[in-house]
Amino acid sequence: MQVRRNWQLYALFAPVLLYFIVFHYVPMYGVQIAFKDFIANKGIMDSPWVGFKHFERFFDSFYFWRIIKNTMGIGLYELAVGFPIPIILALMINEARSGRFRRFVQTVTYAPHFLSTVVVVGMIMMFLSPVSGLVNSIITSFGGEPIAFMTEPSWFKSIYVWSGVWQGMGWSSIIYLAALAGIDPQLHEAAKVDGAGWLRRIWHINLPGIAPTMTILLILNIGSVLGVGFEKIFLMQNSLNMEASDVIATNVYRSGILGAQYSFSAAVGLFNSIVNFIMLITVNRIARKVSENSLW
Amino acid sequence: MPQSRSERIAGVFIYIILSFITLLVLYPLFFVLIASISAPETVMRGEVWLWPKELSFVGYERLFANSELMRGFLNTLLYTTTGTALNVLMTIAAAYPLSRADFNGRGIFTAIIVFTMFFSGGMIPNYLLVKELGMLDTIWAIIIPSAVSVWNIIIMRTFFQSSIPKEMQEAAFIDGASNMRVLLRIVLPLSGPILAVMVLFYAVGHWNSYFSALIYLSDRANYPMQLFLREILVQGQMQEMVDISDDSLARSLMDAEAIKYAAVIVTNLPMLLLYPFLQKYFVKGVMIGAIKG
């Protein structure tokens, strides 16, 4: 009997299973407070049901459209810029023939990935400061007016997205480089013999070669469009750029953890999770139909 | 094969663009370094940009004189070491059984684990759970809710399946070894590279994390470094460090800037020093993860 013979494997796995049940499935069960009026001393179970009251309040709230617009806007902007750039970078690194130069480019572009969000946001604020920042001293030395980047709502999304590109493009390119390394060099030789130029070979060999990887990562990225990096937005946010920076997650944090409106924020959070999940499933289904590559 | 003219031009073009990108990534890091060891007023006047001007360590002096920050540093060390140890143990405990074809129920177990990547209860139910378990304001709130990452389990499972010869394990079983013995004596000794990658990924995660501390900790004595760093870098709160009473306002504003640059360097120093040695490992780690499991 396999189960009995492998009891040690089950013993090993038990704490892991327990962890997932307690710290992932219990909170999913706890999500029911979104449909209740949570009363602390009654607990999640015994608090009274109120149906969709908190959802209605969220949909009717003054900030609803602002939050949705910001969340979608930042997510889509990030997808449009942050998805193709690592691919282009990987294709270029792959073409660079000198091994030493390649390694140097890679070493440098991976490095910012290891900086903490706090440090990156701190650096953004130092560089963009209107009084002492490097960017503004360059602008003024060319005779321009200093720009208050961090307090100007119209700059928020671009700063968020492009600093993300700065921090992440190298790291995200690794996976494409791995895929490119797996392409049979004979294909390239054959294409060269047939007279295919540089661009044609990238278009007809390299891109199809990494297409499965691209599909998988695109699905994962689209599935998290609404799950935009809360930690960074939260740090970049201030009362003056709120108009452009308030997203679902920061709203949940403010009303839930700071304002102790547990049920209301749980409803907002649940709305977010469900939309993400639906998007993931939809994109996955489309990908499976169109390209035969999918997550499952 | 000789290259055509257009290909050579394209090659040069690629080198130029890549050099430009590299410079764009490197320069901000380099600037922080030289700004941190220059006199703050030269940085403010925009004179520093290729080389440090008028060497000054005032930022570092103020930083190291701050006892809270030093405690934050020690807290972070504690959270990073215990957290990483727990993470790695849990990852092995999950990945090894799941790598075994004769582990009944592994399909269901995998599904249970992977589902949590795509759907979660969200911030509030998690917070209430941690609160209910009485872990608020303890080290447990920092290390237990993030005890293991699904993604890393998958990477490690894939490594066990693809890089450890099945025959070796089978031979050991025929010799009467138990599952535990096979794991400890055969599988783990052959898993050096992947273990190094896991330690690195988890440790960097703990070192850089601030959010669970922000929600779960309220006593400043327990704060990790990143939360103090947030006060310094993002919120510009440095009253203790720049003493306005005995300095002029302009002086303290300048020192405040110097402290920021120094703070970035100090927090990332361990990473900067280890980075060249670790690079070959983490690239390998991502590559292993790239092979779809």
Side-chain angles (χ1 to χ4, degrees):
Chain A
M1 185 59 203
Q2 276 185 341
V3 173
R4 185 173 304 169
R5 201 179 40 139
N6 285 335
W7 67 270
Q8 285 180 330
L9 295 182
Y10 290 90
L12 204 55
F13 197 72
V16 179
L17 192 62
L18 185 71
Y19 162 78
F20 276 98
I21 291 170
V22 173
F23 286 96
H24 291 271
Y25 285 91
V26 169
M28 284 184 212
Y29 168 81
V31 115
Q32 59 177 282
I33 63 163
F35 304 96
K36 290 182 165 186
D37 267 337
F38 180 70
I39 296 161
N41 55 22
K42 284 194 174 171
I44 292 173
M45 279 287 281
D46 297 327
S47 295
W49 291 97
V50 294
F52 287 90
K53 176 177 134 186
H54 301 294
F55 289 89
E56 279 163 21
R57 193 184 132 202
F58 175 54
F59 296 142
D60 292 339
S61 82
F62 175 65
Y63 294 119
F64 177 73
W65 287 111
R66 179 173 97 172
I67 297 170
I68 296 297
K69 219 177 76 188
N70 286 335
T71 312
M72 291 294 279
I74 295 175
L76 291 175
Y77 190 170
E78 198 179 21
L79 185 71
V81 173
F83 182 70
I85 287 184
I87 299 174
I88 297 168
L89 181 67
L91 288 171
M92 286 200 293
I93 292 177
N94 192 53
E95 289 300 310
R97 287 194 174 64
S98 151
R100 190 177 288 206
F101 179 74
R102 268 173 83 130
R103 265 197 305 282
F104 180 69
V105 174
Q106 288 177 275
T107 306
V108 170
T109 52
Y110 298 165
H113 171 80
F114 292 96
L115 298 176
S116 74
T117 321
V118 175
V119 165
V120 171
V121 174
M123 282 174 65
I124 295 172
M125 293 171 75
M126 286 192 275
F127 282 102
L128 298 181
S129 155
V131 221
S132 58
L134 189 68
V135 175
N136 271 313
S137 56
I138 294 172
I139 293 177
T140 45
S141 74
F142 282 102
E145 284 291 308
I147 301 169
F149 290 100
M150 295 309 292
T151 50
E152 179 58 58
S154 59
W155 277 100
F156 186 86
K157 291 187 176 71
S158 294
I159 297 171
Y160 174 83
V161 168
W162 289 97
S163 62
V165 168
W166 179 80
Q167 190 181 12
M169 65 178 165
W171 189 254
S172 317
S173 71
I174 296 181
I175 200 159
Y176 296 111
L177 282 168
L180 285 167
I183 293 174
D184 188 352
Q186 288 185 346
L187 286 174
H188 280 281
E189 291 307 322
K192 273 187 199 169
V193 172
D194 290 345
W198 172 73
L199 270 178
R200 284 185 81 89
R201 278 185 286 117
I202 287 185
W203 188 254
H204 291 292
I205 300 173
N206 283 349
L207 277 180
I210 59 174
T213 314
M214 281 166 58
T215 318
I216 299 290
L217 290 183
L218 186 65
I219 297 171
L220 286 173
N221 282 353
I222 293 179
S224 59
V225 159
L226 282 194
V228 287
F230 165 59
E231 296 204 358
K232 196 170 148 202
I233 294 185
F234 173 71
L235 289 172
M236 288 174 64
Q237 200 166 60
N238 56 49
S239 52
L240 294 170
N241 65 25
M242 206 57 143
E243 192 190 316
S245 67
D246 199 16
V247 294
I248 297 178
T250 54
N251 194 275
V252 170
Y253 174 76
R254 262 203 321 282
S255 53
I257 308 278
L258 297 183
Q261 304 178 42
Y262 297 126
S263 285
F264 175 67
S265 344
V268 179
L270 179 61
F271 168 77
N272 193 0
S273 299
I274 289 175
V275 175
N276 271 336
F277 195 62
I278 291 172
M279 280 169 77
L280 183 78
I281 290 173
T282 316
V283 178
N284 191 59
R285 183 162 297 170
I286 295 172
R288 201 166 43 191
K289 281 231 169 81
V290 175
S291 72
E292 295 176 353
N293 282 303
S294 59
L295 275 182
W296 61 82
Chain B
M1 194 166 297
Q3 284 183 310
S4 72
R5 209 176 113 85
S6 72
E7 256 179 54
R8 271 202 308 276
I9 294 172
V12 171
F13 194 58
I14 282 177
Y15 274 80
I16 293 172
I17 298 179
L18 282 179
S19 306
F20 180 70
I21 291 174
T22 310
L23 208 63
L24 220 54
V25 174
L26 192 60
Y27 185 70
L29 302 169
F30 176 72
F31 180 81
V32 172
L33 182 68
I34 57 172
S36 77
I37 53 172
S38 299
E41 46 276 20
T42 62
V43 180
M44 289 283 242
R45 283 198 302 265
E47 289 168 13
V48 174
W49 73 287
L50 264 187
W51 210 243
K53 278 251 164 78
E54 295 171 35
L55 274 189
S56 151
F57 297 92
V58 58
Y60 292 93
E61 281 162 22
R62 302 266 180 154
L63 207 58
F64 284 112
N66 181 285
S67 60
E68 248 191 348
L69 199 80
M70 291 302 109
R71 194 164 48 193
F73 197 85
L74 292 178
N75 285 338
T76 293
L77 270 181
L78 174 71
Y79 300 154
T80 302
T81 46
T82 49
T84 306
L86 177 71
N87 290 150
V88 172
L89 283 177
M90 289 284 278
T91 310
I92 296 168
Y96 182 61
L98 293 179
S99 75
R100 290 271 301 270
D102 59 342
F103 182 60
N104 276 347
R106 71 176 186 153
I108 296 163
F109 290 136
T110 309
I112 289 176
I113 288 178
V114 169
F115 181 68
T116 64
M117 278 174 92
F118 303 117
F119 193 80
S120 75
M123 196 189 296
I124 304 301
N126 273 310
Y127 174 80
L128 291 176
L129 173 70
V130 170
K131 194 174 166 187
E132 211 126 297
L133 292 174
M135 301 199 300
L136 283 189
D137 236 334
T138 66
I139 177 176
W140 308 118
I142 304 296
I143 63 169
I144 296 198
S146 59
V148 68
S149 123
V150 178
W151 191 245
N152 288 346
I153 292 178
I154 295 173
I155 292 180
M156 197 171 221
R157 184 206 61 181
T158 310
F159 181 89
F160 286 158
Q161 281 172 340
S162 59
S163 306
I164 313 278
K166 266 200 191 65
E167 297 75 23
M168 276 181 84
Q169 299 192 47
E170 276 157 14
F173 286 129
I174 292 169
D175 290 345
S178 68
N179 280 308
M180 226 38 191
R181 212 179 149 78
V182 169
L183 173 64
L184 294 176
R185 291 293 166 82
I186 295 176
V187 175
L188 288 184
L190 290 172
S191 305
I194 194 70
L195 288 173
V197 170
M198 289 295 141
V199 169
L200 174 69
F201 282 180
Y202 282 123
V204 169
H206 284 291
W207 188 265
N208 285 342
S209 86
Y210 81 93
F211 189 65
S212 49
L214 178 75
I215 25 184
Y216 299 134
L217 301 182
S218 52
D219 184 354
R220 286 175 74 85
N222 294 332
Y223 275 15
M225 184 179 62
Q226 297 286 343
L227 275 189
F228 292 116
L229 211 55
R230 168 174 171 251
E231 293 179 358
I232 296 175
L233 290 176
V234 180
Q235 301 176 315
Q237 295 170 353
M238 285 175 269
Q239 293 91 340
E240 282 179 59
M241 287 190 222
V242 282
D243 191 359
I244 300 182
S245 59
D246 63 26
D247 290 331
S248 73
L249 186 63
R251 173 82 252 157
S252 34
L253 275 177
M254 285 190 194
D255 285 0
E257 286 300 305
I259 292 170
K260 290 183 184 176
Y261 292 115
V264 171
I265 299 297
V266 170
T267 3
N268 290 300
L269 205 59
M271 200 61 226
L272 286 174
L273 296 177
L274 288 173
Y275 186 72
F277 303 101
L278 296 174
Q279 206 205 345
K280 60 173 188 217
Y281 287 113
F282 62 67
V283 172
K284 199 179 283 174
V286 180
M287 302 281 193
I288 296 166
I291 303 163
K292 215 182 113 194

